[in-house]
Amino acid sequence: MNCVTALCALSCLFAASAIGEIDPVSGIDLVTISSAGNAAWTGRAPSPGTNGGRGAVGYEYRIGRMEVTTAQWAEFLNAALDRPAGDQIPHVARPLVWGANPIAPTNPGGSRFSVPVGNELRAAGGISWRTAAIYCNWLHNGKATNREAFLSGAYDVSTFGFFHPEAGGYTDQLTRSPGARYFVPSLDEWMKAAHYDPAKVNGDGSIGGWWEYSNRSDTAAPVGGPPGVLVNGQMAQANTGWLNGYPGLDAFTVPLGAYPQTQSPWGLLDMAGATAEWVEEPFIDQSEGFPRGRFSDGSPWRNQAPLTDSVWSRSGSDFPSFRDTIYGFRIAAAVIPSPGWVSVGVSGCVLTLAVRRRPMARG
């Protein structure tokens, strides 16, 4: 049984709470985050790197049930990198850790990749924020392959540069363009998808509130470890904190969705574990007045889950062109009319393949 088949079997246990919609343009399983106008998280006082007073979102949006997978990155990179000489797309590079292999390109000097069977759902680490933004442009433009389809749409790539060669900082467009169809999620959007539960019953009897951790718990972060392994008497719940702790096992090869018992209130997978996920939020040093980095959230492979899975913390920030194995991202999207839907279970395994016509949603 390969890893994809095994994950499908596990997914069936949780299908009732994790039926989603395959987006017809991106091919990604997107979950609609509703409850527009939710209250912000009102915990710790706001300060750089903490989330007090954040998480309120006044509109519906969609977000990937999983991080962007190896198979999805390979499709994008084949379009962005396998191009004639002189037509290379700037700021795009292959992940540092993923499940694809290089193959002969169709254009001399280009790069092309194939994905071995069983590696489709592997996470991709080593994605820069700028590469993620260009991926959003490509989806916004319907996966077109003309050069302009990569350079504008959600983000204007012509703005990507250094603020000052000595002082540092960057000139990149800080937030998505109006009308963007796909985008890097804002901090508020990411927080809400990971921690806000419209059905949570609070101590005062009110309905709707925030969980401390993304596994719908106020007391314990997800336990990090290999899938199916007991860690201190508990079954592992997230791909974090064990990068070199289990001889013969490799955290980088664990497919997304391997912990279906650990879901956010909206049924999202791997909010803790795999990569730290880029968000739009810029890190701006107030004494300097210009942005120096972009924030990320979630617990990456090499961190201990309690350090970064809490609602109040972010995993860090880095310059938008910086690549490290900890960095990946989860696509977000606008709620737009869709001609049909495909019902799927967690981990991308098809449980019910049912394409139906329905009235177009209004977003």
Side-chain angles (χ1 to χ4, degrees), residues 192-244:
K192 180 175 179 178
H195 297 282
Y196 184 77
D197 186 350
K200 184 181 183 184
V201 179
N202 302 304
D204 61 3
S206 61
I207 305 296
W210 292 85
W211 294 105
E212 295 279 321
Y213 302 103
S214 64
N215 58 348
R216 293 172 289 177
S217 172
D218 284 328
T219 58
V223 176
V229 171
L230 288 175
V231 179
N232 297 325
Q234 298 184 67
M235 190 66 69
Q237 299 172 318
N239 188 11
T240 186
W242 65 278
L243 195 58
N244 299 308

Side-chain angles (χ1 to χ4, degrees), residues 302-318:
R302 65 181 184 227
N303 279 27
Q304 294 296 327
L307 297 179
T308 53
D309 186 58
S310 58
V311 66
W312 60 81
S313 66
R314 306 170 198 173
S315 60
S317 67
D318 267 303

